[in-house]
Amino acid sequence: MKQKSVLITGCSSGIGKCLAHGLRNRGYRIYATARQPADVDELAADGFESLRLDLDSSESIRYTVNEVLQRTDSKLYALINNGAYGQPGAVEDLSRETLRAQFETNLFGTQELTNLVIPVMRAQGEGRIIQMSSLLGIVCLAYRGAYNASKYALEALSDTLRLELRHSNIHVSIIEPGPIESRFRANAYAAFKRNIDREHSVYRDYYARVEKRLAGPKPMPFTLPPEAVLKKVIRALEARRPKARYGVTFSTHLFAVLRRVLPVRVLDQILSATGNGGRR
Ligand SMILES: NC(=O)c1ccc[n+]([C@@H]2O[C@H](COP(=O)([O-])OP(=O)(O)OC[C@H]3O[C@@H](n4cnc5c(N)ncnc54)[C@H](OP(=O)(O)O)[C@@H]3O)[C@@H](O)[C@H]2O)c1
């Protein structure tokens, strides 16, 4: 049987790297992409067909899609939109540029890439689009407004796309992980230091605690290894009728239910305690 090709974004670490290895072991032909040239080289040294793909650059997106299609005779079974980062900071401390940067990567670049791939999937008569959302695409936590908004928006575009592709044999599945071991927190901490003016914020004291949490080694409760995400991605790739949503971790399943059954006031209390958001 001919190998099915899968393009994955953000393979330098964490979930993307795990997906690249796990799906290759399962027999897929993986196009493992990363933003930094050094990571592309490392993936190549690991035996991957690796390419540079920076979601912030239309040129990079177009170049990589063209390159992949040349190598696969214009076939691509699946796209896994995994690459993203978290921008911490209170909503009132987010500059227009900081909010835009979060959306450029997590939403605009991701959708631009998806829109280049859909015609290929239409032409071959099948395809799978897998969107890495988050527990924070289901409920919001304080001081994560930019990231929350980007994942809610990704969920909305994914739901719309699913309706529009209903009769196309192209399936859109959303993966919703809770806390997963990866470089996510370290990268979020870097974005926090880069883009939030902590000294002049009304949240200055709270931010000192945020920095401790982001820099510290203690994982969030119910954290799982990235292999937990891999399991759900395999289902989304291989089920005859993949589900619209796959939750990963206890926290995701719990909050998906709580959001439906609890009054907003009660849910807010729980979310404030969970995200440290209630205390300043
Ligand atoms: N870890 C969690 O707890 C968790 C929970 C829910 C959802 N998620 C989602 O899971 C996905 C993977 O995150 P992760 O946990 O594996 O974190 P990670 O280790 O930080 O990996 C994120 C990946 O995205 C890449 N990326 C960032 N900006 C990019 C850009 N402009 N263009 C292309 N790639 C870019 C990163 O590349 P660089 O190395 O170059 O920065 C890295 O490869 C994300 O969509 C995240 O929102 C994670």
Side-chain angles (χ1 to χ4, degrees):
M1 203 181 75
K2 209 160 175 257
Q3 269 186 315
K4 287 179 168 168
S5 302
V6 179
L7 171 60
I8 312 173
T9 60
C11 295
S12 67
S13 59
I15 295 171
K17 194 174 202 170
C18 171
L19 294 180
H21 282 273
L23 295 178
R24 179 172 68 178
N25 291 343
R26 216 169 157 82
Y28 290 95
R29 181 173 177 186
I30 300 300
Y31 289 92
T33 70
R35 173 168 67 140
Q36 321 263 17
D39 292 318
V40 176
D41 292 345
E42 198 178 300
L43 287 162
D46 262 349
F48 284 104
E49 294 190 64
S50 66
L51 291 157
R52 189 161 175 263
L53 194 156
D54 181 351
L55 290 164
D56 296 347
S57 156
S58 296
E59 198 192 334
S60 165
I61 292 170
R62 272 197 301 271
Y63 174 84
T64 300
V65 169
N66 284 338
E67 187 63 32
V68 169
L69 294 180
Q70 271 181 25
R71 295 188 197 181
T72 62
D73 203 14
S74 294
K75 299 271 188 296
L76 187 66
Y77 176 66
L79 168 66
I80 303 181
N81 283 317
N82 167 76
Y85 72 98
Q87 174 62 63
V91 172
E92 69 190 80
D93 288 340
L94 297 171
S95 69
R96 184 176 182 136
E97 290 69 33
T98 298
L99 196 51
R100 183 186 286 139
Q102 179 78 106
F103 271 71
E104 283 293 342
T105 307
N106 294 12
L107 192 76
F108 303 149
T110 295
Q111 193 58 47
E112 185 175 6
L113 170 61
T114 306
N115 286 354
L116 288 176
V117 161
I118 290 172
V120 178
M121 293 180 170
R122 281 192 191 281
Q124 71 199 9
E126 64 169 356
R128 303 275 159 121
I129 296 169
I130 296 180
Q131 309 278 62
M132 204 56 69
S133 179
S134 170
L135 164 60
L136 298 188
I138 305 175
V139 290
C140 292
L141 290 179
Y143 311 107
R144 280 102 160 159
Y147 182 70
N148 283 324
S150 75
K151 292 298 186 186
Y152 267 56
L154 180 70
E155 296 249 348
L157 282 184
S158 307
D159 282 343
T160 311
L161 205 50
R162 198 180 58 253
L163 294 173
E164 291 169 357
L165 295 175
R166 201 173 153 77
H167 301 295
S168 68
N169 200 26
I170 302 168
H171 298 274
V172 181
S173 293
I174 303 170
I175 312 287
E176 297 170 324
I180 300 291
E181 289 160 12
S182 73
R183 284 219 312 253
F184 188 84
R185 241 173 4 147
N187 287 332
Y189 187 33
F192 180 64
K193 286 193 284 191
R194 203 165 53 237
N195 296 324
I196 301 296
D197 180 0
R198 285 104 76 205
E199 283 315 302
H200 297 101
S201 171
V202 68
Y203 296 104
R204 196 173 51 221
D205 293 344
Y206 174 72
Y207 283 159
R209 292 205 297 274
V210 170
E211 295 209 45
K212 244 191 205 158
R213 180 172 55 76
L214 287 173
K218 200 170 156 230
M220 301 271 284
F222 308 116
T223 296
L224 290 178
E227 284 75 14
V229 181
L230 171 65
K231 256 196 216 164
K232 300 296 171 85
V233 168
I234 289 173
R235 286 200 211 155
L237 284 173
E238 298 180 3
R240 201 171 59 80
R241 293 178 61 208
K243 294 201 302 189
R245 284 182 165 72
Y246 294 88
V248 190
T249 76
F250 173 73
S251 323
T252 296
H253 296 300
L254 177 67
F255 277 107
V257 173
L258 293 184
R259 184 174 179 235
R260 267 184 248 132
V261 300
L262 289 181
V264 173
R265 198 175 301 206
V266 180
L267 184 61
D268 277 359
Q269 273 171 4
I270 296 172
L271 290 170
S272 290
T274 306
N276 248 349
R279 285 173 272 135
R280 277 193 37 208

